Amino acid sequence: SSRPTRRKKSVDQATGPARAAGAKIVFYPVGEDTAPDWDACDALAKKRSCDVFVLVHYFGFAADTRPARAFCDRNGAVLAEDAAHVLGHGGGIGAAGDYVFYSLYKHLPVPDGALLLARATPAARPDAVARATASLGTIAPPSGSWIARRLVQRLLPGLMGRLRPTGKQPFETDPAAGPLAPTPAMSGIATAMCAELGGELAIHAAARRRNEAALRAAFANDSRVEPLFASP
């Protein structure tokens, strides 16, 4: 969740599927440090009961889960940690949520795949999650186009740059709404590759830390640039 916007619901791609399923979504305000405004959250919860609170770990930096856990406990809500920007569990991320979800394909060279962690807590109801996921089916997305792109990137790296569309799109541009692809399962190749690449997460994490240090050094003397987060 993030600061409210004036965008029309008809082009709200991120929350469209949840709204279509009947969810009532309320956005809460965050500060410049991306932390939720807890006074505002309490005020919103008094106006409308909160069933699920989504705490986002922006850009891989751990949000403080303690006030989020306290908010959910006093409002009888489920705490879901959005760790889509995170390589994996650790540093306080994933320690307090009833649910924690990760987006593997955003960080690893795999065609698809995500991870939902459901804790063995009364609020998480892992039995209900198991029943829900079992009813989704086993259809997986095709991987042929992804494999073709990877081959072109490896064999003809210059070609991919020429094939990319040129020009800048307005920030508020959103693609036309459409139905979700009925492919709830991970593809076989993604499952195998995630198992193989899982041991390399520490390598990816180290590379990220080197990149961060290099960026901070490059802009250290530029008064126009201020990092959003302090260096860990």
Side-chain angles (χ1 to χ4, degrees), residues 60-123:
F61 288 87
D64 189 352
T65 58
R66 292 170 297 180
R69 182 73 268 173
F71 171 86
C72 290
D73 289 344
R74 64 176 174 265
N75 287 283
V78 169
L79 175 58
E81 295 184 52
D82 179 351
H85 292 174
V86 182
L87 280 173
H89 179 85
I93 296 174
D98 299 299
Y99 298 103
V100 190
F101 49 91
Y102 303 88
S103 295
L104 303 178
Y105 77 97
K106 293 182 179 179
H107 308 287
L108 299 175
V110 297
D112 58 86
L115 175 66
L116 171 65
L117 183 153
R119 297 197 179 283
T121 63

Side-chain angles (χ1 to χ4, degrees), residues 98-170:
D98 299 299
Y99 298 103
V100 190
F101 49 91
Y102 303 88
S103 295
L104 303 178
Y105 77 97
K106 293 182 179 179
H107 308 287
L108 299 175
V110 297
D112 58 86
L115 175 66
L116 171 65
L117 183 153
R119 297 197 179 283
T121 63
R125 296 189 60 191
D127 57 330
V129 174
R131 290 195 301 271
T133 53
S135 66
L136 291 176
T138 58
I139 301 176
S143 303
S145 60
W146 179 86
I147 294 173
R149 288 196 302 271
R150 295 293 292 184
L151 287 173
V152 172
Q153 288 173 342
R154 184 176 294 272
L155 300 176
L156 302 169
L159 180 60
M160 293 301 293
R162 293 195 296 271
L163 292 177
R164 290 194 184 101
T166 58
K168 293 183 178 180
Q169 293 292 330

Side-chain angles (χ1 to χ4, degrees), residues 8 16-17 24 29 128 144 215 223 231:
K8 297 180 180 179
K24 304 297 183 182
L215 283 171
S223 60
S231 180

